[in-house]
Amino acid sequence: RIVCYTMGKKGVKIITNNEVKLFETIDVIDVDETGAGDVWSASFIIFYYLMKKDLNESAVLSNISASLSVTGISDKKIPKYNEILKYYND
């Protein structure tokens, strides 16, 4: 079982196997936070369950995805995978 607790700018806590891990977000200029949690959740499902990435990598990539999504208005700034990777590889 995995429990994910998103905390906005403070990141996400993931609880699994009685262990709690905090994953921080990246610094961005926040324009609109609408849907950031939804972006995080959808991203995590894609990275962890569909792409079969490990828990840590999935959490980090999802945080980047949600962080980038708040730099635009509403659903106009949902990042593409190659945009997310630019921040992951830094």
Side-chain angles (χ1 to χ4, degrees):
R1 291 188 172 167
I2 300 171
V3 175
C4 304
Y5 177 69
T6 59
M7 303 180 303
K9 292 179 185 179
K10 295 179 183 177
V12 64
K13 284 184 183 177
I14 296 184
I15 305 164
T16 184
N17 299 323
N18 295 320
E19 182 181 357
V20 179
K21 290 185 178 182
L22 173 64
F23 296 89
E24 296 181 356
T25 61
I26 61 171
D27 290 327
V28 295
I29 296 173
D30 185 349
V31 175
D32 182 9
E33 297 175 5
T34 303
D38 296 327
V39 170
W40 191 93
S41 298
S43 296
F44 188 80
I45 289 168
I46 291 166
F47 295 132
Y48 188 73
Y49 291 103
L50 298 179
M51 296 177 76
K52 305 293 186 196
K53 296 187 178 292
D54 70 29
L55 182 70
N56 293 337
E57 185 176 13
S58 297
V60 170
L61 290 169
S62 298
N63 274 357
I64 294 168
S65 181
S67 293
L68 294 175
S69 76
V70 304
T71 64
I73 302 294
S74 186
D75 64 345
K76 305 294 187 249
K77 193 59 179 150
I78 297 173
K80 294 182 174 22
Y81 185 56
N82 62 345
E83 293 174 272
I84 296 167
L85 290 180
K86 288 178 188 176
Y87 290 86
Y88 183 68
N89 293 327
D90 283 347

